[in-house]
Amino acid sequence: MKLLNVHQYKADLKRAAENANFNELDGRSVFITGGLGLIGSSIADMLVTYGKTNVYIGARNEQEFFQRFGGVDKVGFIPYDALGELKLDFTPDYIIHGAGPASPELYTAMPTETLLSNFGGVHELLKLAKENGVKRLLYISSSEVYGKKLTDEPFIEGKYGDVDIDSIRSSYIIGKRSAEMLCKAYSSEYDVDTVIVRPGHIFGPAARRRDKRISSDFAFKAVGGENLEMKSAGTQKRSYCYSVDCAVQILTVLIRGEKGQAYNIGHDEITTVREMAAMFAAAAGVELTVAEPTEAELKAFNPMNNSALDNSRVRKLGYTDTFSVEEGIRHTVDILREMTGDEQNGYTRFV
């Protein structure tokens, strides 16, 4: 069964779409790179639910595209590699760039690809936008661009902490920061309309099994009946956000965001890692324990103890949350359970 056919997921998308206003996308085309990832595919799902926009998914694996979107109306596949040459035989109205390594173990294993897929990837798209009059390009950055800070206040746009440029894991942060600046440079110098979003910690059923971000990893383990094992006290503060709400926020910025501006994307609730893990454990009926991390796990840890986000800027555009964090987690577990049940009956789950 395709994710878009799962009853709870369809209901969540419809509920969130009814809480938003996407009229400016009527009859428009949107090209989403990284459109098979958690955030990119959730944006596509929201546009499919809205039903009045043509969506093009840029990805490397056509087979995975058909497993996820094959037969879905108004969704097309575009072969795309953020590290390769950009080839498009049409000009989209809007571009959303979300391609690139998005899991912590990849930042340390593939730092070169992490840097180039962000900076080089968005550069190719910016050149396309400049030369062909694309209406707007939205770059999906990350809350990690803020670096480390010592205060307990949520991050607000424009205030930044330290980044350890000697750590190879910082390839992700530096790649995102440099790509953001390139977007601003094209906007300032060439009048290309760009906006930037900085998602916090996003979870949801559109995650792939191979996604090792803790919320995705815990979701699949909990649904599989495994007890959850934390490798820290879990006191780190995050703005965990259900992927459906994340998609609405990003589309709101795409439509109504101020040119050249950056917007935090997260939930109004501040949740610790331990609270998130406890919600997944409770939703799936499994136990939560704590253990010592391995050396490899320590290297991949997010260095930010407090990465809670202030999302008041996107709220000023008219956005409001549709789901609480706890509700989003419960629905994620329910949706993945239905998908897992179908796998056991002979269906293939998008990996």
Side-chain angles (χ1 to χ4, degrees):
M1 176 185 289
K2 285 184 170 60
L3 178 57
L4 275 167
N5 292 332
V6 177
H7 174 75
Q8 183 64 70
Y9 191 56
K10 288 171 63 178
D12 286 356
L13 289 166
K14 182 179 179 182
R15 179 177 160 192
E18 291 173 347
N19 195 33
N21 181 357
F22 302 140
N23 292 345
E24 292 183 41
L25 297 178
D26 290 5
R28 300 289 189 175
S29 60
V30 180
F31 177 46
I32 306 172
T33 74
L36 296 180
L38 169 58
I39 294 177
S41 67
S42 298
I43 296 169
D45 291 339
M46 183 57 62
L47 291 174
V48 167
T49 300
Y50 180 61
K52 300 179 182 180
T53 306
N54 296 309
V55 182
Y56 297 91
I57 301 294
R60 289 179 292 186
N61 193 317
E62 189 171 6
Q63 181 180 356
E64 289 187 354
F65 167 80
F66 280 107
Q67 287 177 349
R68 183 69 165 80
F69 291 106
V72 178
D73 190 35
K74 295 187 178 181
V75 181
F77 174 75
I78 302 292
Y80 176 81
D81 187 335
L83 299 175
E85 182 182 355
L86 178 64
K87 295 180 180 179
L88 285 183
D89 57 6
F90 74 105
T91 300
D93 295 304
Y94 295 93
I95 296 173
I96 297 176
H97 182 49
S103 196
E105 78 279 3
L106 295 178
Y107 311 156
T108 52
M110 304 170 62
T112 304
E113 291 82 355
T114 298
L115 285 163
L116 292 178
S117 62
N118 282 285
F119 188 84
V122 81
H123 189 205
E124 289 297 310
L125 293 168
L126 285 166
K127 288 191 291 184
L128 172 73
K130 174 177 176 287
E131 294 165 3
N132 295 277
V134 170
K135 187 175 180 65
R136 168 166 279 184
L137 182 148
L138 181 147
Y139 174 61
I140 300 178
S141 185
S142 168
S143 62
E144 287 204 33
V145 299
Y146 289 111
K148 295 180 182 179
K149 67 182 177 68
L150 300 176
T151 61
D152 286 332
E153 293 78 18
F155 282 111
I156 62 173
E157 297 88 347
K159 294 187 178 181
Y160 305 91
D162 296 330
V163 173
D164 181 4
I165 63 173
D166 293 321
S167 168
I168 200 65
R169 191 193 184 286
S170 295
S171 59
Y172 181 71
I173 303 173
I174 293 169
K176 292 293 188 183
R177 281 189 168 186
S178 59
E180 282 196 20
M181 180 52 67
L182 191 59
C183 288
K184 289 179 178 291
Y186 263 76
S187 183
S188 173
E189 186 172 352
Y190 302 122
D191 199 32
V192 175
D193 193 335
T194 65
V195 285
I196 297 161
V197 293
R198 295 169 179 163
H201 292 73
I202 312 303
F203 66 88
R208 305 182 189 190
R209 287 192 184 280
R210 59 180 177 263
D211 184 348
K212 293 305 177 183
R213 285 173 286 193
I214 186 170
S215 56
S216 299
D217 188 43
F218 276 9
F220 284 109
K221 285 180 176 177
V223 169
E226 294 184 46
N227 291 331
L228 305 183
E229 185 178 74
M230 292 186 58
K231 297 301 181 74
S232 72
T235 58
Q236 305 96 321
K237 295 179 180 179
R238 305 287 187 249
S239 291
Y240 285 106
C241 182
Y242 187 30
S243 57
V244 176
D245 272 335
C246 171
V248 174
Q249 290 181 68
I250 290 175
L251 289 172
T252 299
V253 173
L254 180 70
I255 296 168
R256 291 186 283 278
E258 180 183 343
K259 178 182 174 182
Q261 190 63 268
Y263 293 82
N264 288 338
I265 303 296
H267 202 281
D268 199 33
E269 299 175 42
I270 295 176
T271 310
T272 66
V273 173
R274 187 178 186 87
E275 288 169 341
M276 175 275 298
M279 289 180 196
F280 270 114
V286 299
E287 295 183 3
L288 176 64
T289 60
V290 180
E292 289 295 319
T294 65
E295 185 175 344
E297 288 168 335
L298 283 171
K299 288 182 179 179
F301 276 0
N302 186 327
M304 297 160 63
N305 287 325
N306 178 6
S307 59
L309 300 174
D310 181 326
N311 68 347
S312 58
R313 182 176 284 180
V314 73
R315 288 177 176 277
K316 290 178 181 178
L317 300 179
Y319 168 80
T320 58
D321 293 323
T322 300
F323 304 91
S324 68
V325 175
E326 189 272 339
E327 186 178 17
I329 285 175
R330 278 194 291 107
H331 288 192
T332 295
V333 169
D334 291 343
I335 293 163
L336 289 177
R337 272 183 169 159
E338 184 170 345
M339 299 289 286
T340 301
D342 281 329
E343 281 184 46
Q344 293 170 348
N345 288 321
Y347 292 95
T348 300
R349 157 77 185 169
F350 179 57
V351 296

